[in-house]
């Protein structure tokens, strides 16, 4: 498994798996995570109190989403699907990168910051094995986290 560090002036990313080299632009990654952090503040999570923000690059545009919970728990939607469905509703069909934040404190393990299984499958529908998924590590104002290839997050992902 490829695992290297990609460092820029404002950010430190741990690369896990093979991700699209053309997308290794720090500006783009930072813009995505910035927007995910902003939209997270709008999350409606009165039941879990666990607020999540996502931003997805689809067809050259960035779409954002947050989790929206419901008194009937099963009606809740995650941040990632909310962002992706917005992109699809606007005509986009390809995910080029996705960023996710749960506003963790530094040192929070990856399994407390990662996309849920249902969202991985939905990402998979519109992405490729090497599509980068950015996961915020919660280093305050600095940008830091993992950039994980979808193929690593969801190996042998189901396709028709
Ligand atoms: N949640 C997300 O928005 N994305 C994930 O990938 C994991 C879980 C939300 C759903 C629910 O509102 C809260 O986090 C706690 O599970």
């Amino acid at each position: 498994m490829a695992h290297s560090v990609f460092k820029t002036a404002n950010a430190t990313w741990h690369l896990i798996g093979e991700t699209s080299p053309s997308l290794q632009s720090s500006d783009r990654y930072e813009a995505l995570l910035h927007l995910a952090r902003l939209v997270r503040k709008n999350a409606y999570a009165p039941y879990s109190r666990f607020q999540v923000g996502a931003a997805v690059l689809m067809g050259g545009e960035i779409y954002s989403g947050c989790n929206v919970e419901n008194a009937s728990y099963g009606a809740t939607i995650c941040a990632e699907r909310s962002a992706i469905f917005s992109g699809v509703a606007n005509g986009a069909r390809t995910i080029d990168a996705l960023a996710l934040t749960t506003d963790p404190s530094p040192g929070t393990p990856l399994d407390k910051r990662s996309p849920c299984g249902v969202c991985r499958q939905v990402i998979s529908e519109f992405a490729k094995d090497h599509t980068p998924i950015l996961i915020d590590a919660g280093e305050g104002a600095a940008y830091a986290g993992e950039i994980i290839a979808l193929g690593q997050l969801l190996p042998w992902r189901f396709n028709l």
Side-chain angles (χ1 to χ4, degrees):
M1 177 164 78
H3 190 167
S4 55
V5 177
F6 172 48
K7 223 170 171 356
T8 64
N10 304 319
T12 306
W13 304 107
H14 292 270
L15 302 176
I16 303 175
E18 295 271 316
T19 51
S20 323
S22 60
L23 278 163
Q24 284 185 11
S25 142
S26 56
D27 287 358
R28 231 168 199 185
Y29 287 154
E30 285 169 32
L32 278 173
L33 188 53
H34 179 72
L35 189 58
R37 286 177 175 183
L38 282 181
V39 74
R40 181 189 157 271
K41 297 187 178 135
N42 295 329
Y44 176 75
Y47 306 106
S48 74
R49 310 246 166 234
F50 188 77
Q51 294 186 299
V52 187
V56 64
L57 179 64
M58 297 180 78
E61 302 283 338
I62 297 179
Y63 302 93
S64 62
C66 58
N67 54 330
V68 181
E69 298 187 343
N70 192 277
S72 174
Y73 288 10
T76 292
I77 186 168
C78 292
E80 302 91 312
R81 278 176 290 144
S82 167
I84 293 164
F85 294 164
S86 169
V88 171
N90 281 283
R93 291 291 185 270
T94 306
I95 296 176
D96 294 310
L98 181 144
L100 172 66
T101 183
T102 56
D103 193 29
S105 48
T108 302
L110 193 50
D111 63 329
K112 301 284 182 289
R113 305 182 274 120
S114 291
C116 81
V118 169
C119 288
R120 290 177 201 209
Q121 182 64 29
V122 171
I123 295 167
S124 165
E125 186 73 23
F126 303 104
K128 299 201 163 62
D129 273 344
H130 58 258
T131 302
I133 311 300
L134 285 66
I135 302 182
D136 196 353
E139 304 283 331
Y143 296 101
E146 291 79 8
I147 297 181
I148 308 181
L150 175 65
Q152 293 277 341
L153 272 181
L154 191 60
W156 297 283
R157 56 205 177 88
F158 179 70
N159 271 302
L160 283 180

